[in-house]
Amino acid sequence: MPESSVLNGLDCSGANISPDLFWANAPQATKSFAFVLDDYEARGGDGFVHWAGYNIPATVHSLPANAGAAEGDLPGGGRQAYNDFLKRSYGGPCPPEGPPHKYRFTVFALDLPTIDDAGTPMTWRKLRFIIKGHVLASASLTGLRGHP
């Protein structure tokens, strides 16, 4: 993970800029996308969600750098779910000292045109439950980041 993506908080002093993301070759029946960035080995294997989004139109195939800067909606369409920092925005890596942590970006092609987010706040754990059985395809990319 680039230095620019590191959290500006806790004991880290990065720019907290979400990296640009691109995806392609979604199934023909895709109606929307969702994504998550998680440190899936953190907290004893329970994981830590740094960023999540949903209701991204099927016509969108990228997110520009810093798309997660502001809470709420994503540029080009879509919404951000609450991360484990309790914010609807990007929260960059800030691993503890030790070996580098693995940060996994996963995008999901869904057969759902939209996900109703009325009611309780949308978190990745809730979103994961909602999309179960509606994932047409997924792809992941893992980056590493250590703490000096």
Side-chain angles (χ1 to χ4, degrees), residues 29-34 54-58 108-115:
T30 301
K31 294 184 179 169
S32 71
F33 294 101
Y54 60 101
N55 286 352
I56 299 168
F108 302 90
L110 306 174
D111 66 3
L112 298 168
T114 59
I115 294 169

Side-chain angles (χ1 to χ4, degrees), residues 3 11 15 29 37 41 61 71 75 79 106 109 133 135:
E3 182 67 32
D11 66 343
L37 166 60
E41 296 175 331
H61 298 280
E71 289 212 29
R79 299 181 52 79
T106 305
V135 177

Side-chain angles (χ1 to χ4, degrees), residues 7 14 25 47-48 51 60 71 75-77 79 90 100 102 107-108 112 117 128 134 143 145 148:
L7 182 71
N25 302 317
F48 190 91
W51 195 26
V60 173
E71 289 212 29
R79 299 181 52 79
Y90 173 80
K102 298 172 188 163
V107 64
F108 302 90
L112 298 168
D117 56 8
R128 182 177 59 193
H134 296 282
R145 185 71 202 184

Side-chain angles (χ1 to χ4, degrees), residues 37-39 48-52 83-85 89-94 103:
L37 166 60
D38 62 342
D39 178 352
F48 190 91
V49 174
H50 288 265
W51 195 26
N83 61 27
D84 285 340
F85 293 109
S89 59
Y90 173 80
C94 183
Y103 296 90

Side-chain angles (χ1 to χ4, degrees), residues 75-144:
R79 299 181 52 79
Q80 296 178 95
Y82 283 92
N83 61 27
D84 285 340
F85 293 109
L86 303 178
K87 296 185 177 209
R88 290 181 55 224
S89 59
Y90 173 80
C94 183
E97 289 185 20
H101 279 222
K102 298 172 188 163
Y103 296 90
R104 178 180 58 191
F105 291 91
T106 305
V107 64
F108 302 90
L110 306 174
D111 66 3
L112 298 168
T114 59
I115 294 169
D116 182 5
D117 56 8
T120 60
M122 185 63 74
T123 64
W124 166 244
R125 285 157 183 85
K126 179 179 174 183
L127 185 58
R128 182 177 59 193
F129 178 79
I130 292 170
I131 67 174
K132 188 176 182 173
H134 296 282
V135 177
L136 301 172
S138 66
S140 295
L141 173 68
T142 301
L144 300 175

